[in-house]
Structure formats: C-alpha cells, structure tokens
Amino acid sequence: MQAIVVTRYGGPEVLTSVDRPTPDPGPGQVVIAVAAAAVNPVDHAVRAGHLDHFAHGQLPVGLGGDVAGRVEAVGPGVEDVAVGQPVIALLDDVLAPAAGYASHALVERAALAVVPEGTDLVAAATLPLNALTAGQALDLLDLAPGQSLLVTGAGGGLGEYTVALGAARGLKVIGLGRPRDEADVLAAGAAAFVTDVAQVDEVDAVLDAAQLGPAALARVRAGGAFVAVNDPAEPAAERDVRVTTVHVKADGARLAELFAEVEAGRLRLRVAGTYPLAEAGAAQERLAAGGVRGRLVLLP
Ligand SMILES: NC(=O)c1ccc[n+]([C@@H]2O[C@H](COP(=O)([O-])OP(=O)(O)OC[C@H]3O[C@@H](n4cnc5c(N)ncnc54)[C@H](OP(=O)(O)O)[C@@H]3O)[C@@H](O)[C@H]2O)c1
C-alpha cells in the first residue's frame, strides 16, 4: 500500500510517500481500499507538530481522518460487513503509523458505516470528522430546545454541521461567519447570521469553531457552556461558564445516522476540489491559506 506519512515535523516538504505491506485486519478490524480521503485542518496541525503532546516525538505518523472506500478485507469476528461494500469511516488515532492519506486504511469495524451502493465516495469522504465532531460537541453542550447557541466559523466544515444539527435539536442558532457565508449558514438552519461577536447578545452557549476564544466566551451568559475545538486553545473559564474542548471519537453507528441525515437532505456534502494523493501537501497548503468552503479531497 501507498501512504503519506510525517517523518519529521514541518511544512509540506516533510510529507513522505511510503510503500508498505497492506496490513491484515485483526479481530474486529476491516481494511478499506481508500477511494477518497478528505483534508482537514487537524492534518496540517499533525504535520506541523502541534499534536506532539499526544505523539511525544514518536514518528512517523500517518495523516487523514476522513475516508471513503470499499471493504477489501475483514478480520475475525466481522460478520456484518462484506468485501466490496462501500463504507465511510473516521480514523481517530492521531498516532497511527498510516491513516487516511493512503491507498488502504485499517479501521475498527465499530468506526465505519456502510453506505449504499452508488454513493458518491468523494463527497461521502467529507462527512465523518466534522459531522461526528458537531454531534459530539452538541452532546457536550447539553442544551435544551429553545436555548441559544452561537456557532463561530459557521461557514466552515464543522460550523455548518453544528448549525444544522443544533437547529434540528430545536436550538436557536446564531451563525458567525464571513459575509459570503450568510446565505449558506441561514440555509443550514441558523436563525440569525452575524460577522462579528460584538453583534451577539447574550447566548446560552458557544461552539467556537473559528477559535475566537475569550471574545466568544464573553457572549455566554453566566453559568452557560462553551466548547473549544483545539488544544490548547480553550479559554480560561469565567462566570461559572462550563468550558470544555471537544475531542472527536470514531463512532460508526452514529456516522450511519449522520449519513442518513445526508440522504434525507438535512446535511449536505460539500467538495471544494480534488487532488491526487501525491499532492497532499499542496491540498493542505490550500486549506491553510483560508477561504476554502467545503472539503478538499485526496484521490489515491
Ligand atoms: N477537536 C476536534 O475533535 C476537532 C474536530 C474537527 C475540527 N476541529 C477543529 O475545528 C476547527 C474548524 O474546523 P473546520 O474543518 O470547520 O475548518 P474550516 O472549514 O476551515 O472552517 C473554519 C471557518 O472559520 C472561519 N473563520 C475563521 N476566523 C473567522 C472570523 N474571525 N470570523 C468569521 N469566520 C471566521 C473560516 O473562514 P475563512 O476560511 O474565510 O478564514 C472558515 O469558514 C479547526 O481548528 C479544526 O482543527 C477540531
């Protein structure tokens, strides 16, 4: 198998293409022939060494959490997934020596969702990381219908799914984005759209996908809730606001439910463009430059 790995931290030049034996799936595991792998901000962070507090210098590590493809092999005990079936998965182990930027990916059966034959796998690869994070962040916020939620970065991958899933839970969602994002954020289900936190009155909670930090926390009512998205960006708690950071976990059953939301037209898949796997560094640099809407997707 081919994989793009990080052998030392740095810029796109540190991405290395390696040829390795395709792993055999162990008990409860599945090997996917990867058709598409989405590029996310966390991949750039891994490459740059910003997640070394998990890796402690143990390199190489693989890159890429979002994959779509077809089952190539199943391990002992996996009886409900067949070779050849189309699947999507989140690979949530940031220490794995190979991950989604690869021709093949080794995943736990419990991490993957089977999708219907005929699914656009390039588009489907854009779902797992951000939809699961949005759902798990909303769980952390633990709001009741009718409560208000400010989502910063609402035009982005995580932000849009949080707006949509939050609105579906009956929350009054205010989306904060760039001016160009207004129509999309409102279409996703936001009750209001702003471009500056100063336009926001008090809210019950914030999901801070744009990492505005203290400026966004200041809008939360005393005793409300705030979810940050990256270590160590969590602002210091104040006024009894419950401040936490979401750390997405793979969950194939929930991913299947989220894919059903896509099929029902309540979540959308958004592909910004595709790159050959070998051009992963260029795709990461394009994402890091800002302004991308939808996901860039690597094609092995
Ligand atoms: N902890 C976890 O488990 C987890 C999981 C998923 C994602 N994340 C993190 O969540 C963050 C968002 O991810 P993503 O995939 O949604 O990224 P993204 O698609 O790049 O979205 C970020 C959005 O925020 C916007 N933005 C940034 N600063 C802004 C500002 N001052 N005002 C208005 N909009 C602003 C960006 O607009 P421009 O592009 O125009 O700048 C972009 O639309 C990333 O840091 C990612 O690493 C964490």
Side-chain angles (χ1 to χ4, degrees):
M1 60 175 271
Q2 288 294 127
I4 303 285
V5 303
V6 173
T7 53
R8 62 190 166 87
Y9 296 133
E13 72 284 352
V14 305
L15 296 184
T16 306
S17 180
V18 294
D19 196 357
R20 294 190 178 146
T22 303
D24 289 325
Q29 294 182 324
V30 170
V31 170
I32 302 173
V34 177
V39 176
N40 285 289
V42 66
D43 308 339
H44 188 278
V46 171
R47 189 195 79 197
H50 297 156
L51 272 69
D52 191 57
H53 52 286
F54 293 120
H56 302 295
Q58 280 193 22
L59 298 174
V61 291
L63 286 176
D66 273 334
V67 294
R70 287 184 182 274
V71 173
E72 177 145 315
V74 299
V78 177
E79 286 160 7
D80 58 347
V81 177
V83 170
Q85 273 188 310
V87 293
I88 55 176
L90 171 66
L91 283 61
D92 64 2
D93 179 4
V94 292
L95 302 181
Y101 290 15
S103 61
H104 295 77
L106 180 66
V107 302
E108 299 298 322
R109 162 64 186 98
L112 64 79
V114 176
V115 295
E117 196 60 52
T119 294
D120 176 347
L121 293 176
V122 174
T126 65
L127 184 73
L129 176 73
N130 286 308
L132 283 168
T133 306
Q136 292 170 12
L138 287 165
D139 292 349
L140 280 175
L141 288 168
D142 195 21
L143 299 170
Q147 288 194 290
S148 56
L149 170 66
L150 169 64
V151 177
T152 72
L158 173 58
E160 179 174 311
Y161 287 146
T162 309
V163 169
L165 295 175
R169 290 184 185 208
L171 305 180
K172 178 181 171 240
V173 182
I174 301 160
L176 182 150
R178 306 289 188 195
R180 64 184 274 212
D181 297 318
E182 179 167 8
D184 285 322
V185 172
L186 293 174
F193 176 81
V194 297
T195 56
D196 190 321
V197 279
Q199 298 168 263
V200 180
D201 292 331
E202 192 176 76
V203 289
D204 292 306
V206 169
L207 180 283
D208 191 21
Q211 300 183 83
L212 304 185
L217 178 62
R219 313 323 295 179
V220 182
R221 68 166 168 81
F226 180 100
V227 169
V229 296
N230 282 326
D231 302 312
E234 185 178 296
E238 55 179 62
R239 300 173 292 108
D240 287 330
V241 175
R242 190 167 48 85
V243 176
T244 50
T245 300
V246 64
H247 296 99
V248 66
K249 295 277 176 287
D251 182 341
R254 189 156 197 188
L255 184 54
E257 292 170 7
L258 291 161
F259 191 80
E261 292 297 298
V262 172
E263 293 198 294
R266 290 188 287 268
L267 292 180
R268 68 173 173 160
L269 305 174
R270 211 172 169 191
V271 177
T274 60
Y275 288 72
L277 179 62
E279 293 177 21
Q284 287 189 341
E285 290 309 279
R286 175 65 198 93
L287 177 60
V292 175
R293 294 296 180 271
R295 289 286 81 126
L296 301 168
V297 180
L298 302 177
L299 306 180

